[in-house]
Amino acid sequence: MHNYDVVIIGSGLGGLTCGAILSKNGYKVCVLEKNKQIGGCLQTFSRDKTVFDSGVHYVGGLEPGQNLHQVFKYLGIMDKLNLKRLDMDCFDRIAFHDDPKEYKMAQGYEHFIQGLLQDFPGEEKALREYCRMLRHICDKFPLYNLRMGGFEEKESVLGIDAAEFINSLSSNRRLTEVLAANNALYAGVEGKTPMYVHALVLNSYIESSWKCINGGSQIGKWLARGILENGGTILKHQQVKRIVADGPAVQYVETAAGKRFTASHFISNVHPAATLDMLESDAIRQAYRTRIKSLENSNSALMVNAVLKPGMFPHMNYNYYYHSADSVWGSHDYTPDTWPGSYAMFISPEPKDHRFANALSIMSYMHISEVEQWKDTFNTVSSEASRGADYEAFKKEKAERVLDMVEQRFPVLRQCIQSYYVATPLSFRDYIGTEDGSMYGIMKDSTDPLRTFISPRTKLSNLYLTGQNLNMHGILGVSMSALVTSAELLDFEKLLHEIKTA
């Protein structure tokens, strides 16, 4: 038996941030991680001496005074991160198959408006209304602004449908498509995704957009170091299989190897449905289990990670979104003939010469049903081909189709590629731990917004939830969810004051 104040299941960003906050405030913390690398979506991997991110491709809100900057500063990691700011006049570049023009999204609200006015000169009213709405919605989320406030503040904006609102801004369809074109950031679905999801994400990037040089795993590394320096413990290769409760409280968790860990409090950073699968307790009503199980997850993806030959492909200090589908909202709804309907491309600079790129990650939506026949296989980092030759052939065929599409705009790309590696929904499933390989966990729904909010509290007095499924996904969303979870054990007002004044 191992006894701690807090045992945290899973070392994704949510778990590590909770661990860093609580250990900083005197709690004896133990983080249990099933994989050999900590970090969940923060994980990086190396191929041909080139570092790739598994999930974190860019980060917003990191300028002094902005919300994520203050959280990271409070945790002592802000000045340790190796960051590069994306181009001020273009953090995201938008392209369409039927349009030779490409559109730029700039950092800073006025800059953002003026940049798009060059392509849409008659649309100032629409652009100003769009930006006003983004800020209005963000103001309604107290925690996003690092202040106390009640749920009722945000209630008035939860039911606004993102696609409907954006489409209502102007009769210029190209403009409304540009404003929604980077919806792969949250796996947007027309008629479902709420405007608040779009607003919280886009506002953060318009305020400031950054890339982690040599990958997002540095965030996890520094958070972990903080936990260890505060006397905490992080144990890898510890897959929790059982959460055992007696009456109203959890008594211990047990790993696959039979090790038991006891604590006063337990925090699960794994998907709520997976948490309930592990939980042995009569205190959780069947209705709650059914509700959590019935929540739909956001889509998964195929990712082509390409190592580039040195000095060949110019580095573009922005992200690139390309659409060939009829609607920018439509490419998750594909047939074998229409796939891929779109892609998002994230470009990494050569560490020693930022004029050139050393790697590309190209992402297209993919349903896990496409890899159904290999679902009972599990691959490990050391054995990339363990799912069999037919799986490798599937990956190659899909990757070549993605590269065909990218070459419509970047005709020499294949000549610049040294090698590439493909991740499918099964890769996301096995490394991030969502059953269906979902990138962003539970999908929010503007038609029934309260159903998709999950409280960090459970019916068990000492079991809490954290991670991307509570409030929001992404570095910022998960960090905010971790604050909410940590506040269950701390004075929230004091914590927010310390973060704001860090």
Side-chain angles (χ1 to χ4, degrees):
M1 282 285 204
H2 306 263
N3 194 23
Y4 298 92
D5 295 330
V6 185
V7 163
I8 297 171
I9 305 165
S11 72
L13 177 63
L16 290 175
T17 304
C18 286
I21 292 169
L22 294 171
S23 64
K24 183 179 166 79
N25 284 278
Y27 283 86
K28 187 182 174 192
V29 168
C30 175
V31 181
L32 302 175
E33 170 54 49
K34 70 173 177 138
N35 290 325
K36 71 173 187 181
Q37 190 183 151
I38 61 164
C41 293
L42 295 171
Q43 290 177 66
T44 50
F45 57 93
S46 182
R47 295 284 181 275
D48 289 359
K49 304 192 175 99
T50 304
V51 174
F52 290 95
D53 273 301
S54 58
V56 179
H57 298 289
Y58 56 134
V59 187
L62 285 179
E63 203 173 52
Q66 291 172 0
N67 44 20
L68 193 57
H69 181 280
Q70 291 307 115
V71 173
F72 282 178
K73 193 174 175 198
Y74 167 78
L75 292 172
I77 70 167
M78 189 61 222
D79 58 350
K80 298 181 172 74
L81 299 178
N82 183 5
L83 301 166
K84 178 180 175 68
R85 192 161 189 168
L86 297 176
D87 283 350
M88 292 302 291
D89 66 349
C90 180
F91 65 89
D92 281 354
R93 194 174 182 109
I94 314 297
F96 302 91
H97 75 106
D98 59 353
D99 186 350
K101 201 172 199 146
E102 295 184 351
Y103 302 88
K104 299 177 181 180
M105 291 188 169
Q107 298 181 55
Y109 270 101
E110 192 56 36
H111 202 180
F112 179 90
I113 291 167
Q114 296 304 327
L116 285 172
L117 275 177
Q118 291 175 23
D119 294 315
F120 302 101
E123 297 291 343
E124 183 165 0
K125 182 169 176 282
L127 286 164
R128 291 204 178 277
E129 174 57 19
Y130 170 77
C131 291
R132 186 200 68 78
M133 186 56 130
L134 256 55
R135 288 187 282 200
H136 168 71
I137 290 174
C138 292
D139 286 345
K140 297 278 188 189
F141 283 72
L143 187 57
Y144 190 85
N145 298 288
L146 302 175
R147 61 176 175 80
M148 298 293 286
F151 189 82
E152 62 285 351
E153 272 195 70
K154 52 186 160 187
E155 224 161 345
S156 63
V157 298
L158 296 182
I160 303 169
D161 177 283
E164 192 181 321
F165 172 77
I166 292 170
N167 290 339
S168 75
L169 289 167
S170 170
S171 58
N172 185 325
R173 185 147 180 257
R174 186 50 27 115
L175 172 64
T176 58
E177 286 185 322
V178 167
L179 293 176
N182 51 11
N183 70 66
L185 286 166
Y186 47 86
V189 174
E190 190 166 12
K192 192 162 205 172
T193 299
M195 187 62 192
Y196 81 81
V197 171
H198 176 94
L200 296 178
V201 172
L202 264 291
N203 175 73
S204 160
Y205 289 126
I206 291 172
E207 284 194 335
S208 66
S209 289
W210 310 77
K211 194 160 192 66
C212 293
I213 300 297
N214 287 332
S217 59
Q218 54 182 302
I219 298 171
K221 180 183 83 172
W222 291 115
L223 288 171
R225 191 165 294 185
I227 292 169
L228 299 175
E229 285 171 359
N230 292 327
T233 305
I234 298 173
L235 300 173
K236 292 180 272 197
H237 301 293
Q238 301 291 332
Q239 184 170 9
V240 173
K241 284 288 194 188
R242 298 171 68 214
I243 304 171
V244 181
D246 182 14
V250 173
Q251 301 303 305
Y252 62 87
V253 298
E254 186 175 294
T255 66
K259 279 190 184 171
R260 291 183 178 182
F261 295 82
T262 60
S264 307
H265 307 277
F266 298 84
I267 295 173
S268 175
N269 185 45
V270 298
H271 193 289
T275 303
L276 292 176
D277 285 343
M278 294 187 277
L279 179 59
E280 298 173 17
S281 165
D282 300 332
I284 304 289
R285 291 205 311 272
Q286 191 55 45
Y288 178 77
R289 288 181 184 269
T290 304
R291 175 173 89 87
I292 297 296
K293 284 275 188 201
S294 71
L295 292 173
E296 190 183 350
N297 283 327
S298 59
N299 218 329
S300 192
L302 179 101
M303 188 78 87
V304 179
N305 295 300
V307 178
L308 300 173
K309 296 170 187 168
M312 289 276 286
F313 195 84
H315 175 239
M316 301 177 289
N317 195 31
Y318 48 79
N319 312 295
Y320 194 86
Y321 291 84
Y322 181 88
H323 290 270
S324 72
D326 290 341
S327 159
V328 294
W329 298 95
S331 50
H332 57 86
D333 200 15
Y334 60 85
T335 66
D337 296 337
T338 61
W339 187 89
S342 65
Y343 66 82
M345 184 162 74
F346 309 104
I347 303 124
S348 301
E350 284 186 13
K352 293 189 172 66
D353 185 352
H354 284 199
R355 291 175 306 162
F356 295 101
N358 74 342
L360 301 175
S361 291
I362 310 159
M363 181 177 87
S364 285
Y365 288 131
M366 180 174 276
H367 305 307
I368 196 152
S369 58
E370 293 225 37
V371 286
E372 172 82 13
Q373 69 190 89
W374 302 286
K375 74 176 191 312
D376 296 327
T377 63
F378 184 91
N379 82 339
T380 58
V381 178
S382 59
S383 160
E384 198 62 35
S386 60
R387 299 194 204 269
D390 50 352
Y391 178 70
E392 293 306 306
F394 168 85
K395 289 199 300 185
K396 183 167 176 47
E397 191 258 325
K398 295 294 184 186
E400 291 295 328
R401 284 178 71 168
V402 171
L403 292 175
D404 285 344
M405 182 178 264
V406 179
E407 283 204 327
Q408 290 172 20
R409 284 296 158 103
F410 302 95
V412 297
L413 176 63
R414 274 189 175 87
Q415 295 165 39
C416 302
I417 293 176
Q418 183 174 310
S419 56
Y420 68 74
Y421 303 85
V422 183
T424 74
L426 292 179
S427 319
F428 286 99
R429 180 197 73 176
D430 293 346
Y431 292 114
I432 297 168
T434 47
E435 193 179 329
D436 50 9
S438 167
M439 291 185 293
Y440 307 129
I442 291 166
M443 198 192 299
K444 308 300 183 198
D445 187 350
S446 60
T447 63
D448 192 358
L450 299 186
R451 188 165 169 264
T452 49
F453 272 94
I454 295 175
S455 169
R457 294 181 192 177
T458 68
K459 287 284 187 232
L460 295 162
S461 61
N462 63 345
L463 175 64
Y464 308 96
L465 306 172
T466 199
Q468 69 174 4
N469 297 290
L470 266 63
N471 286 308
M472 278 284 288
H473 64 275
I475 299 285
L476 178 60
V478 171
S479 299
M480 295 300 162
S481 297
L483 295 186
V484 176
T485 305
S486 301
E488 294 293 331
L489 306 183
L490 300 171
D491 177 335
F492 202 6
E493 207 161 341
K494 180 169 175 282
L495 174 62
L496 287 179
H497 176 73
E498 288 174 355
I499 290 170
K500 282 189 88 158
T501 56

